[in-house]
Amino acid sequence: MAAVQWHSRARRYEAELQSCGLEVAPVEFGDYHPLKSITVTDSKSRRGARKGSTSSSSSSSSSVAPDPLSSMLDGMDPLSMFAAASASEPPLTLSQSSSTGDFGRGKRKEKEDEVGVDFEPWSCKRGEILARFTTTEKLSINLFMGSDKGKAPSPASSAVSEKVRTRLEELDDLEEGSQRELLNLSQQDYVNRIEELNQSLKEAWASDQKVKALKIVIQCSKLLSDTAVIQFYPSKFVLITDILDTFGLLVYERIWSMCSDPRPLPDSFTADEVHDTAKETCLNWFFKIASIRELIPRLYVEVALLKCNRFLTKCGIQETVPRLTAMIRGIGDPLVAVYARAYLCRIGMEVAPHLKDSLNKNFFDLLGTFRQIHGDSVQNQLVLQRVEIPVYLTLYSPAIHWILQCVSYRAPEALLTEMMERCKKLGNNALLLNSVMWAFRAEFIATRATDFIGMIKDCDEAGFPKHLLFGSLGRSLACADPPEAERLPILNEAWKVITKVRSPQDYINCAEIWVEFTCRHFTKREVNTVLSDIIKHMTPDRAFEDAYPQLQSVIRKILTYFHDFSVLFSMERFLPFMDMFQKDSVRVEVCRSIMDVFIKHQQEPTRDPVILNALLHVCKTMHDSVNALTLEDEKRSLALLINGFIRMVSFGRDFEQQLSFCVEARATFCNLEPVLVQLIHTVNQLAMETRRVMRGSHSRKTAAFVRACAAYSFITIPSLSSIFSRLNLYLLSGQVALANQCLSQADAFLKAAVSVLPEVPRSVSIEGKLRSSECFLLDFINNFLSALLVVPDHPEAGVLYLVRGLLNMVQDYTWEDNSDAKVQVYISALPLLAAMSQETYLYSIPKVDSNETLYGGDPKFVAEINKLCETLIGQVLDHLKSLGRDESVRRQGSLAFSLFGCLLAHGDLRNNKLNQLAVNLWNLSHKQGYCDTRTAVRTLEFIKHQAQQPDMAHLSDMLQRLTLQSRT
C-alpha cells in the first residue's frame, strides 16, 4: 500500500452546528396550540351489527393515529363500564337490602373477632424469655420409654369400645412406669432433650402412631408441674408449650383433612359442615384427654386442642374456655397456675379473641392467688432453693404481662380505671402494677401518670424495687405525652428515685428509659443535668464498661431529638459522656451514629468552630480505628461519613481558612484514600470558586492562592495507591490550573500523568474481582487527548511535546496479547491532530493562548501535524496487515471501519490517495461480511447528505465506489 499523504479537512464549526439544528416548520397558532386536545374518531365496525349492514362504520374525523391506550379500552374505561352495568341492574328489594345489611354486620363482627397486627404475638416474646431466664443448676427430665404395644393401628374390624379400651390401657402403661428419669442435665442438654421429644412427636405422627404421639405430649406436660429449678421455669414453659402447639396443629389439620372430600372446608366453616367421621375422630381425641388422671397434663393437652371444638358444636369453644379457667383453680403452686392461665389466654386469643369475659375471669382469678406468694409453702420452697423474693417475683412477669396484654387488647379506658382500683385494694401490689403499666395503651397510662406515681410511692419496695416500676412508667411516657403541666413534676419525682439506685446496672437500665422522656419534652439544660448524673453514677470503678448497650441507647435517643449540633455540642457534659466509651469498637459505632445524624439533618454548610472541632474529633476517632485488618467495605463506609462532613464545611469567602482546613484534614485522615480524593476535589473546586469570586480584583493574591491549591493537589496525589485515581486527578488538577491561567502548574500535572501511565497494571481489582485495566486506560487516554487541544506547547519542549510524549508511552506500554488497544489510541489521536490543524479551535479557555494563537496556522506547524498523522495511519495499516495474516478478520474489519470513519470525518478526501485509502478501508471492513449492516447503511446516508454541502461534491464520486456486502 502506497505511502499516505494526510491533509486535515478544513472545518467551519459554526456553520456545521447550524446545519445540525432542527428544521423550523411554520404553524398557524389560530388552529393549533400545544395544550389543545386532539379528538380522534376511530373507524371500526359496530358491535352486534348485522352482516351486510351499510351503517356499520363511521369515518375518522382526524388524520392523527388513534391513541393505543384508548383503543385498548374500546372507547370505554373499566369504571365507566362498571357504572353502566350498575345503572342497568334493577334496584334492590327490601329483602335484598336486609340481607346485605346482615352481611355487613357479619363482616364487622368477623373483623372484631380477629387479632390485628397491633397485637404483639407470642413469637416476639418467646426469644426474650429464653434469653432472660437461664440457670446453671442441674435439671432432670422424664423421657418416654413406652412399650411397643399400640404402635400399629387397631384393625379396622375392631369395635369402637375395644379401641377405646386398648388406648386407655396404653395410657395406663405410660403412667405405670414406662418412663425413665434423666438427672444432672445442663441447661443446653435439657433443651436438646426437649427438642428430641418434639422431633419424636413429629416422627410418631408421621408413622401413624397417634397414641405414642399423645403419650409424648402427656409426658412433656407433666414437666410443667416440676418447679425444682424455679429460675428456669419460664423458659421450660416456652419449650414445652412449643411441643403442645405442634401437637394441637397436627390434630387440627388431621381432622380438617378428613372433611376435605370432595372439597376443602372454608376457613369460616361451621360444625354443620363437618363430616360425622371427622366429628367422631375429634370426640375420640377429647375422650382420650379426659382419661388423663393428672390435672396439669390433662389441662394443657385439652387447651392445645381447644381449636378442635369448632368441629363439634358452634358454641364448643365458648363453653369450654370457662370450664378450663375453673380447672386452673385446682393448681396449688401459684407460679404453675399463672403460666397455665397464660397458656389458656394465648390459645384463647388465637381461636376466640372475642371471649373477653373468660380472659377477664382468668385475670381476676390470678389476683386471688397473690396471697399465696407469701404463704409458708412458697416461702419454704424459696428458702430450699436459695431464691430471693425479688428474683422470684420476676418469674411471674412474662405470664402476667401476657395475660394483661390479652385482657387490655382493644379494651376501653374504663378497664384501666378498674384495674387501678383493684391494685389499690391489694395494697398496690408492685408486681401487678408493673404488669398493668406494661400491658395497657401508653396513652391511657400517660394521662394517669401522676396517679401511677402516687401508687408507686405506696408500694412495698422489699418485694419489687420501685426503680423497676418507674422504668415501666417511663416506657409508656416515651410513647405518649402526659399533660404538659405535669411533665416537670413527673420527671422530678422519677429522678428522685432513680438517682438513689445504688447498683450501676439497675441505675442505667432505668435512667436510659427516662432519657427519652427528658429529650422529648425538655431543653438541653435538663438533658445536660441527666448526662451529668449518669456520668456520676457510671464512672466509679469503671462501671460504664458493663453498660455500653444502655449508654449507646442514651446517645441514640439524644440524637433523635437534637439535630442542631451547635446546641448538642454546647452541652457541657456531652463530650465527657462520650469519653466513657473506652472500647474501640463501641466508640467507633457511637461516632458513626453521630455522623449519620449530622449528614442526614445538617441542611446548610457550617463554619461553627464548636461543631468543627467536635466533629473533627469524632471523625478522627473513626479514622484511627482503621488498621491492616480492616475490611474494604468498612473503610468505604467510614470514608463516606467523613466525606459527608468535609462537604458540609464552608468558610464562605475566607478561602485561605478553607484551604487550611483541608490541610489539617489531610494530615488527620491520611489512611483513608477516598477522603484524600474528596479533599483534592474540594481544593480544585475552591480554586475555581476563588477565580470566579475574585475575578478582576487582587489578581496577584488570587494567582498565589490558586498556585497554593495546585501545590496541595500535586503533593497529595502521589500518596494515592489507586493508579486510576492518580491519573484522573492529575488530569483534573491540570485542567483546573489551566482554567486559572497557571500554565506551569498545568504543564506539571499533565506531564506527571503521562509519566504515571507505564505504571498501570494489566489488571485491577474491582469490588474484589480482577478485571482487565485496558478499558479504563483507554477511557482515560481519550479524556486526556480531548484536554490537550487547548494546552499550549511549552516554549522549550518542542512542537506537540505532550502529544508525542503520550504516544511514546502508548508505544512502549505492554498491552495484552491479541489486543487492539494501542491502535485504537492511534485512531483516537487523529481527530485531536486534525482539530489542532484548524485556524480556529473548537473550544478555548479565556485568557489562555492555545496553539492556534501561538503558531497562527504556521505551515511548519501544520506540516508537523500531518507528518505525525501519517505515522499513526501507517502504524494502523501495518496492524491491519498483521491481522489479515493471523486470520483475525473480525477485528480487522472493525478497526478498518473505525479508521474509515475517522478519515471521513476529519480527513481531506479531495486528496486522491487519501480518498482511495478510505475506499480500500471500506472494502476491507466489508470483505468478510462482519460489518454491521445498519451502521453501514446509516454511514452511506450520511455521506450522501454531506455530498450535498458546498465544497463536498467529491464525496459523490467516492459514494459510487462504496458498496454494501453481507456475509453469505
Side-chain angles (χ1 to χ4, degrees):
M1 192 174 285
V4 178
Q5 293 182 356
W6 173 267
H7 294 282
S8 299
R9 180 167 69 91
R11 305 290 295 272
R12 295 187 297 274
Y13 293 118
E14 293 185 1
E16 291 181 20
L17 179 63
Q18 292 177 358
S19 67
C20 294
L22 297 175
E23 296 183 3
V24 179
V27 176
E28 296 182 7
F29 288 98
D31 298 332
Y32 170 79
H33 189 276
L35 299 182
K36 184 178 180 180
S37 61
I38 300 176
T39 303
V40 179
T41 304
D42 190 18
S43 299
K44 58 185 178 181
S45 299
R46 296 177 183 172
R47 296 182 178 180
R50 290 176 299 176
K51 184 176 180 180
S53 173
T54 59
S55 60
S56 61
S57 64
S58 60
S59 61
S60 175
S61 64
S62 172
S63 61
V64 183
D67 179 10
L69 297 181
S70 300
S71 63
M72 288 294 291
L73 299 175
D74 283 340
M76 183 175 291
D77 65 272
L79 295 180
S80 300
M81 294 172 64
F82 177 76
S86 300
S88 63
E89 292 179 357
L92 285 173
T93 63
L94 183 59
S95 60
Q96 288 175 318
S97 177
S98 175
S99 63
T100 304
D102 291 341
F103 176 75
R105 285 195 297 273
K107 282 291 185 182
R108 285 195 297 272
K109 184 177 184 300
E110 183 179 337
K111 191 77 173 177
E112 292 171 359
D113 291 352
E114 294 177 355
V115 176
V117 295
D118 54 337
F119 185 83
E120 185 180 10
W122 174 256
S123 57
C124 295
K125 299 179 179 294
R126 181 183 178 281
E128 179 186 346
I129 295 172
L130 291 174
R132 180 181 175 190
F133 297 98
T134 59
T135 184
T136 57
E137 300 285 337
K138 294 301 180 181
L139 302 164
S140 62
I141 188 173
N142 293 326
L143 270 179
F144 171 62
M145 299 296 292
S147 64
D148 294 336
K149 188 177 174 182
K151 285 188 177 179
S154 301
S157 59
S158 299
V160 175
S161 60
E162 293 177 356
K163 292 181 182 179
V164 174
R165 186 183 306 110
T166 301
R167 288 165 180 166
L168 289 177
E169 289 174 356
E170 290 167 352
L171 293 176
D172 289 339
D173 177 61
L174 169 67
E175 297 187 356
E176 288 172 2
S178 58
Q179 49 192 351
R180 175 166 60 92
E181 188 173 22
L182 297 180
L183 303 174
N184 298 322
L185 297 176
S186 67
Q187 177 178 322
Q188 187 58 48
D189 292 336
Y190 189 93
V191 173
N192 293 338
R193 296 293 184 180
I194 295 296
E195 182 56 36
E196 289 176 10
L197 286 172
N198 202 354
Q199 190 62 32
S200 297
L201 166 65
K202 296 176 183 177
E203 293 173 357
W205 190 272
S207 60
D208 206 24
Q209 299 181 53
K210 304 298 190 295
V211 175
K212 180 179 178 181
L214 178 59
K215 289 180 179 181
I216 294 174
V217 175
I218 295 172
Q219 175 72 9
C220 293
S221 301
K222 285 185 177 182
L223 297 176
L224 291 175
S225 62
D226 177 21
T227 57
V229 183
I230 202 166
Q231 302 99 312
F232 187 66
Y233 191 85
S235 293
K236 181 198 291 187
F237 170 80
V238 170
L239 297 171
I240 300 301
T241 52
D242 284 349
I243 297 178
L244 287 163
D245 293 342
T246 301
F247 179 70
L249 181 62
L250 290 172
V251 173
Y252 183 84
E253 290 181 346
R254 166 65 178 158
I255 300 173
W256 186 83
S257 65
M258 296 173 68
C259 305
S260 299
D261 187 20
R263 61 177 182 274
L265 281 176
D267 291 338
S268 57
F269 72 89
T270 62
D272 297 335
E273 301 174 75
V274 179
H275 296 173
D276 291 340
T277 305
K279 286 185 178 182
E280 181 183 351
T281 302
C282 185
L283 280 171
N284 193 18
W285 278 110
F286 283 113
F287 289 153
K288 291 177 188 177
I289 296 170
S291 66
I292 301 174
R293 296 175 182 176
E294 296 185 20
L295 171 61
I296 290 179
R298 184 169 71 250
L299 171 71
Y300 271 101
V301 177
E302 185 170 1
V303 173
L305 269 58
L306 181 62
K307 190 176 182 180
C308 294
N309 282 278
R310 292 185 63 193
F311 296 110
L312 300 178
T313 63
K314 181 179 180 181
C315 302
I317 295 176
Q318 188 173 351
E319 295 170 353
T320 303
V321 172
R323 177 174 57 80
L324 295 174
T325 301
M327 284 174 61
I328 298 176
R329 298 174 187 170
I331 300 176
D333 191 312
L335 184 64
V336 176
V338 74
Y339 277 94
R341 290 190 176 91
Y343 188 61
L344 177 58
C345 289
R346 178 158 78 84
I347 302 301
M349 283 297 288
E350 292 176 4
V351 301
H354 59 286
L355 299 179
K356 294 291 187 181
D357 291 341
S358 297
L359 294 173
N360 295 343
K361 188 63 176 175
N362 265 285
F363 176 72
F364 296 143
D365 284 354
L366 166 65
L367 297 182
T369 63
F370 274 125
R371 64 177 67 91
Q372 293 178 259
I373 294 175
H374 301 285
D376 293 339
S377 176
V378 173
Q379 294 299 320
N380 292 337
Q381 185 182 22
L382 297 182
V383 171
L384 184 64
Q385 297 193 35
R386 299 179 181 178
V387 176
E388 299 292 335
I389 189 68
V391 176
Y392 176 70
L393 290 177
T394 59
L395 302 178
Y396 285 80
S397 296
I400 298 178
H401 285 354
W402 180 260
I403 294 171
L404 271 170
Q405 178 181 331
C406 298
V407 170
S408 63
Y409 181 63
R410 294 181 178 173
E413 194 169 357
L415 182 60
L416 175 58
T417 303
E418 182 180 354
M419 294 293 181
M420 293 175 69
E421 292 300 324
R422 288 180 177 269
C423 287
K424 292 177 181 177
K425 291 180 180 178
L426 288 172
N428 288 331
N429 183 282
L431 179 62
L432 176 60
L433 187 60
N434 185 62
S435 297
V436 168
M437 289 188 290
W438 267 89
F440 278 86
R441 289 175 54 187
E443 294 81 0
F444 295 171
I445 304 297
T447 56
R448 295 168 172 78
T450 302
D451 296 334
F452 275 105
I453 288 178
M455 295 172 68
I456 292 172
K457 287 181 178 180
D458 296 336
C459 286
D460 181 12
E461 195 165 8
F464 204 92
K466 290 184 179 180
H467 70 269
L468 296 180
L469 296 175
F470 274 105
S472 299
L473 178 61
R475 288 187 184 90
S476 296
L477 298 184
C479 302
D481 300 335
E484 186 174 355
E486 300 177 10
R487 293 171 186 173
L488 185 57
I490 289 172
L491 178 61
N492 289 333
E493 291 294 336
W495 212 261
K496 286 179 184 177
V497 175
I498 297 171
T499 194
K500 294 178 181 179
V501 178
R502 294 183 179 181
S503 167
Q505 196 64 40
D506 291 341
Y507 167 83
I508 193 61
N509 286 338
C510 192
E512 174 257 329
I513 296 170
W514 280 87
V515 165
E516 182 162 4
F517 178 77
T518 309
C519 295
R520 188 184 179 102
H521 299 295
F522 299 98
T523 64
K524 69 173 187 177
R525 176 174 172 273
E526 288 78 11
V527 175
N528 192 64
T529 302
V530 170
L531 292 180
S532 178
D533 194 62
I534 294 176
I535 294 171
K536 177 182 175 182
H537 280 78
M538 303 307 296
T539 302
D541 300 325
R542 300 179 66 86
F544 54 78
E545 293 182 344
D546 298 322
Y548 284 138
Q550 293 88 340
L551 296 176
Q552 284 180 271
S553 177
V554 171
I555 289 289
R556 286 193 296 268
K557 290 174 179 177
I558 293 174
L559 293 174
T560 300
Y561 293 96
F562 287 85
H563 299 154
D564 188 341
F565 277 74
S566 61
V567 174
L568 183 67
F569 290 123
S570 65
M571 295 184 197
E572 296 178 1
R573 310 307 294 170
F574 184 78
L575 292 180
F577 183 88
M578 291 277 297
D579 292 338
M580 287 195 293
F581 295 100
Q582 300 287 315
K583 188 177 180 180
D584 290 343
S585 59
V586 177
R587 184 166 64 249
V588 171
E589 192 63 33
V590 171
C591 291
R592 289 172 66 105
S593 63
I594 293 174
M595 293 310 304
D596 278 332
V597 174
F598 176 79
I599 293 170
K600 181 178 180 180
H601 295 283
Q602 185 70 24
Q603 301 296 327
E604 299 293 334
T606 182
R607 59 184 300 174
D608 188 327
V610 175
I611 295 177
L612 297 186
N613 289 334
L615 291 184
L616 268 176
H617 173 73
V618 170
C619 291
K620 185 178 186 302
T621 300
M622 295 191 299
H623 169 270
D624 292 348
S625 68
V626 175
N627 53 44
L629 300 178
T630 306
L631 298 176
E632 288 300 319
D633 286 346
E634 178 70 11
K635 291 181 181 179
R636 191 179 302 113
S637 176
L638 294 175
L640 284 173
L641 294 174
I642 297 174
N643 286 343
F645 163 61
I646 291 172
R647 285 192 290 267
M648 294 306 297
V649 176
S650 175
F651 290 88
R653 294 196 175 188
D654 192 347
F655 301 122
E656 293 182 358
Q657 186 67 27
Q658 187 84 33
L659 183 59
S660 298
F661 169 80
C662 291
V663 172
E664 182 182 358
R666 180 179 62 186
T668 304
F669 309 123
C670 58
N671 290 331
L672 287 175
E673 187 162 307
V675 179
L676 297 179
V677 172
Q678 175 62 43
L679 287 170
I680 295 170
H681 281 291
T682 301
V683 169
N684 282 325
Q685 293 172 1
L686 184 62
M688 295 301 296
E689 183 69 10
T690 304
R691 174 63 63 179
R692 184 186 68 82
V693 173
M694 306 299 291
R695 184 177 300 163
S697 60
H698 307 291
S699 56
R700 291 184 179 179
K701 185 177 180 181
T702 302
F705 181 78
V706 172
R707 287 194 292 272
C709 292
Y712 179 98
S713 298
F714 198 78
I715 293 171
T716 309
I717 292 174
S719 65
L720 303 178
S721 62
S722 171
I723 184 69
F724 285 105
S725 293
R726 276 186 279 158
L727 287 172
N728 290 319
L729 287 172
Y730 273 134
L731 176 58
L732 175 64
S733 300
Q735 291 171 317
V736 170
L738 193 64
N740 285 280
Q741 300 97 49
C742 297
L743 301 184
S744 59
Q745 284 77 14
D747 188 68
F749 280 117
L750 297 177
K751 285 196 295 186
V754 173
S755 66
V756 169
L757 281 177
E759 302 176 19
V760 176
R762 295 178 66 174
S763 60
V764 291
S765 178
I766 306 294
E767 296 182 353
K769 297 181 180 179
L770 284 179
R771 291 183 55 186
S772 172
S773 63
E774 196 171 271
C775 59
F776 302 105
L777 182 56
L778 288 177
D779 285 344
F780 170 76
I781 291 176
N782 288 332
N783 290 335
F784 192 86
L785 288 171
S786 66
L788 291 183
L789 176 63
V790 293
V791 178
D793 283 340
H794 196 284
E796 300 177 359
V799 179
L800 303 177
Y801 79 102
L802 281 175
V803 177
R804 294 180 187 276
L806 175 64
L807 294 175
N808 289 335
M809 288 294 182
V810 171
Q811 177 71 30
D812 297 337
Y813 183 77
T814 305
W815 299 93
E816 293 183 11
D817 298 335
N818 300 321
S819 170
D820 301 322
K822 179 169 67 173
V823 177
Q824 290 174 357
V825 173
Y826 291 162
I827 296 175
S828 298
L830 292 176
L832 168 67
L833 295 171
M836 283 184 166
S837 65
Q838 304 299 317
E839 293 182 0
T840 303
Y841 283 1
L842 178 61
Y843 50 85
S844 60
I845 296 178
K847 299 183 181 181
V848 174
D849 294 332
S850 302
N851 286 339
E852 62 174 335
T853 304
L854 295 180
Y855 294 107
D858 190 332
K860 293 182 180 180
F861 175 65
V862 176
E864 285 289 334
I865 293 175
N866 293 340
K867 184 178 178 180
L868 184 55
C869 289
E870 291 166 4
T871 302
L872 295 177
I873 294 176
Q875 293 282 342
V876 176
L877 295 179
D878 290 342
H879 185 71
L880 289 175
K881 290 179 183 178
S882 66
L883 291 178
R885 291 193 295 269
D886 296 340
E887 297 184 356
S888 302
V889 290
R890 186 185 293 273
R891 291 165 54 201
Q892 184 188 54
S894 176
L895 286 174
F897 194 80
S898 296
L899 182 56
F900 169 80
C902 184
L903 296 182
L904 179 64
H906 304 285
D908 187 357
L909 297 182
R910 290 175 298 185
N911 181 284
N912 292 333
K913 290 186 177 180
L914 203 59
N915 191 300
Q916 184 59 46
L917 174 62
V919 174
N920 293 341
L921 290 169
W922 174 273
N923 293 332
L924 180 61
S925 66
H926 286 71
K927 183 177 180 180
Q928 301 295 333
Y930 285 112
C931 184
D932 181 65
T933 304
R934 294 179 61 187
T935 304
V937 170
R938 289 200 300 267
T939 303
L940 291 176
E941 292 175 352
F942 171 77
I943 297 174
K944 183 178 180 181
H945 175 75
Q946 288 294 100
Q948 299 173 3
Q949 303 297 323
D951 301 328
M952 302 291 279
H954 58 280
L955 293 180
S956 299
D957 298 332
M958 187 182 77
L959 186 63
Q960 301 301 320
R961 294 184 287 164
L962 302 180
T963 58
L964 284 175
Q965 299 179 21
S966 60
R967 191 183 184 196
T968 57

